[in-house]
Amino acid sequence: MNSTVIMMTVTMIITNMMMILNLILSKKTISDREKSSPFECGFDPTSSSRVPFSLKFFLIAVIFLIFDIEIALLLPSMPTMYLSNMNQWMLTSTLFIMMLIIGLYHEWNQGALNWVK
């Protein structure tokens, strides 16, 4: 118990020291307007260097990540089927899959999966 507290304290001290060192060393100098402007072969840019980002792609990426994590949570449930009580396993897996289906229905109902509106 005592060694765990000491180890946690040492870890916190080292982490905080590294964060403070990072703040000290990464101070940016005063940026001027010319350094922060986009560079196009010595000419002034003809258009904006910032391209608008489509939120639909971001939404699809977030939905993909959510369902990817859910599949990663489902994969270990098959080997645990033989190690646990069958009634409890069926109840938990059914509840988990129902939550996934309800989430998919909610996203579909909100129009998050429609590309063309």
Side-chain angles (χ1 to χ4, degrees), residues 10-106:
V10 169
T11 305
M12 290 297 290
I13 289 172
I14 291 173
T15 305
N16 286 331
M17 286 175 49
M18 289 178 71
M19 289 173 59
I20 290 171
L21 185 65
N22 183 26
L23 283 174
I24 291 171
L25 294 178
S26 69
K27 290 288 183 189
K28 292 185 178 181
T29 59
I30 299 172
S31 62
D32 58 3
R33 190 173 147 273
E34 293 298 322
K35 285 186 180 179
S36 62
S37 66
F39 180 73
E40 276 188 23
C41 301
F43 298 104
D44 289 331
T46 57
S47 63
S48 174
S49 62
R50 309 254 187 248
V51 177
F53 183 72
S54 175
L55 285 177
K56 290 184 181 185
F57 289 114
F58 178 73
L59 185 64
I60 293 296
V62 169
I63 290 171
F64 173 76
L65 285 175
I66 289 171
F67 282 106
D68 193 39
I69 291 171
E70 291 168 350
I71 288 175
L73 291 173
L74 274 176
L75 284 177
S77 68
M78 289 301 147
T80 60
M81 178 175 65
Y82 301 112
L83 301 173
S84 63
N85 185 1
M86 189 55 81
N87 290 333
Q88 289 178 342
W89 184 86
M90 285 295 290
L91 179 67
T92 55
S93 60
T94 304
L95 287 174
F96 188 73
I97 291 173
M98 287 303 295
M99 287 188 335
L100 294 181
I101 291 171
I102 290 170
L104 180 64
Y105 174 72
H106 177 69

